[in-house]
Amino acid sequence: MILSRRPDIERFLSKPDAGVRAALIYGRDLGVVRDRGHQLAAKVVDSPDDPFDVAILTETDVADDPPRLEGELAAQSLMGGRRMVRLRLSSEKPAIDKLAAEALERHAAGELNPDAFFLIEAGNLGRDSALRKTAEKANGAAVIPCYEDEPGDVARLVRETLARDSVSLSADALALFVARMPKERGVARQEIERLALYLGPGSNTVGTPADLEGFLGVEPEASLFDAAADAFGGKLADAQAGIRRAAQEGETGPAAVRAIGMHLGKLRRALTLHKSGAGLQEAAKASGVFWKQEREFLRQARAWTLDELDRIQSEVLAADKACKTAGSPDRLIAERLALTVAGRARRLGL
């Protein structure tokens, strides 16, 4: 059984189906995979850290002693509780992938210890993975693919984690913090815990954007995001100056092109939502626009069209490819792209 919809995943993690003996949780972001693995383990056994009822194996353990995996799955609980075997894979090695697939197939069919639970946490398994194929076909197994967190997922993680320390963020501060969060779940969680300490655990503080200024500081890439916004706003000189300032801060041409592409993506998302019936301001917020940039972004969104963005998209892709060519003058390529975008913006009346 494949669980890809969030409500189905949350239902299963909070109350695993009785007929499921195995679960495969996989995805590029191992932080999300580990989080969901911890959630499920806590529901399957009383003490996920109990070495008598829980066996935690890595791919190295399986590679060094292949029969051990099925041996652990066939073993009975020493303390009378439910047994769990937790296999953690960090890479897709064909031999380990095949061994895990064979063990999962036998266990899901009830050939080993039918009362044990087999939990597998893996990286980004491809479609040709034997383990993934086997898990998706097995009747007694659940498959949970983990995708990159959306802004809404990160916002919920921030709220829930801060709430444990009796602190929180205002709506504007939350939007700012989420926009600056690293994409990897494990690293993001560390930043949230650091913020809780900064706000004061147990203080019931509601952080504001002003409170976050000292915590977040100024990112080197901030100049690039400013330059991208200036380019789409028709501000030629400011866009060029922003890219040069970012270069002095250590940013490269590809990073500048990426920032321009990200701003284009925000405009495209906002205009698509607006076309579907959302208000423009609502669409801007849904696209991750920080409140301080909202007025300028709305000005741009009223001038740019989806057709114009499609035309400029090809310029962004060409610049990205050119920047990554060995020996290319990547900063000059990025500057030329910014000037091209700014010139198009001016023709649109910006």
Side-chain angles (χ1 to χ4, degrees), residues 28-337:
R28 181 175 288 107
D29 189 338
L30 285 175
V32 179
V33 173
R34 293 288 184 260
D35 270 4
R36 288 178 169 170
H38 291 323
Q39 284 181 263
L40 182 55
K43 296 296 181 180
V44 172
V45 294
D46 293 332
S47 301
D49 297 323
D50 186 346
F52 293 103
D53 282 337
V54 180
I56 300 178
L57 305 177
T58 65
E59 57 194 38
T60 302
D61 296 324
V62 176
D64 292 344
D65 185 7
R68 182 181 173 186
L69 179 56
E70 290 196 3
E72 294 284 3
L73 288 168
Q76 301 294 316
S77 169
L78 296 177
M79 305 301 291
R82 188 176 191 186
R83 181 166 174 76
M84 181 174 72
V85 177
R86 194 169 181 178
L87 176 62
R88 291 173 168 172
L89 306 176
S90 57
S91 62
E92 191 179 347
K93 297 179 180 178
I96 304 299
D97 188 74
K98 183 179 178 182
L99 281 170
E102 291 171 350
L104 184 143
E105 185 173 28
R106 291 193 62 198
H107 183 66
E111 296 178 21
L112 302 174
N113 176 3
D115 294 327
F117 193 90
F118 188 17
L119 172 58
I120 308 169
E121 300 164 42
N124 192 36
L125 301 177
R127 293 183 180 276
D128 57 345
S129 162
L131 175 58
R132 178 177 165 182
K133 289 179 180 177
T134 300
E136 289 176 348
K137 293 178 182 177
N139 291 328
V143 180
I144 302 177
C146 299
Y147 303 106
E148 188 175 88
D149 281 334
E150 297 289 335
D153 301 322
V154 180
R156 181 168 57 252
L157 178 65
V158 172
R159 285 194 297 267
E160 292 174 353
T161 306
L162 292 180
R164 296 189 193 115
D165 286 310
S166 299
V167 292
S168 60
L169 294 175
S170 68
D172 289 338
L174 180 62
L176 170 61
F177 189 64
V178 168
R180 297 276 288 273
M181 276 292 87
K183 293 188 180 298
E184 204 279 320
R185 173 76 72 91
V187 180
R189 187 179 290 281
Q190 291 175 6
E191 284 298 296
I192 300 168
E193 291 169 352
R194 193 166 67 89
L195 175 62
L197 289 173
Y198 178 80
L199 294 175
S203 65
N204 293 312
T205 298
V206 179
T208 65
D211 294 324
L212 292 183
E213 288 182 5
F215 177 80
L216 294 173
V218 178
E219 291 182 309
E221 62 184 11
S223 296
L224 291 183
F225 292 124
D226 289 343
D230 288 335
F232 279 93
K235 302 172 183 176
L236 286 79
D238 290 341
Q240 187 177 43
I243 290 177
R244 291 180 178 176
R245 184 169 60 252
Q248 293 174 350
E249 295 166 348
E251 293 293 344
T252 62
V257 173
R258 184 166 60 250
I260 291 173
M262 289 174 66
H263 192 86
L264 185 150
K266 286 184 179 181
L267 280 169
R268 185 192 299 282
R269 176 169 170 75
L271 291 178
T272 300
L273 290 172
H274 184 53
K275 187 177 180 180
S276 299
L280 201 52
Q281 188 171 21
E282 177 189 358
K285 290 183 182 297
S287 301
V289 178
F290 181 44
W291 65 273
K292 285 187 177 180
Q293 283 83 45
E294 189 175 282
R295 178 179 295 180
E296 170 61 18
F297 185 87
L298 292 175
R299 186 179 77 91
Q300 296 175 18
R302 293 186 183 99
W304 284 90
T305 65
L306 288 171
D307 287 341
E308 287 291 344
L309 291 177
D310 285 340
R311 293 189 185 97
I312 210 70
Q313 178 76 59
S314 61
E315 301 276 357
V316 176
L317 294 174
D320 182 63
K321 183 177 180 180
C323 275
K324 294 174 182 176
T325 302
S328 65
D330 58 295
R331 199 195 77 186
L332 294 177
I333 292 170
E335 284 187 27
R336 184 174 63 186
L337 174 63

Side-chain angles (χ1 to χ4, degrees), residues 10-31:
E10 292 180 349
R11 176 193 57 77
F12 179 80
L13 293 178
S14 62
K15 188 177 181 180
D17 297 2
V20 174
R21 295 192 182 96
L24 169 62
I25 306 176
Y26 73 93
R28 181 175 288 107
D29 189 338
L30 285 175

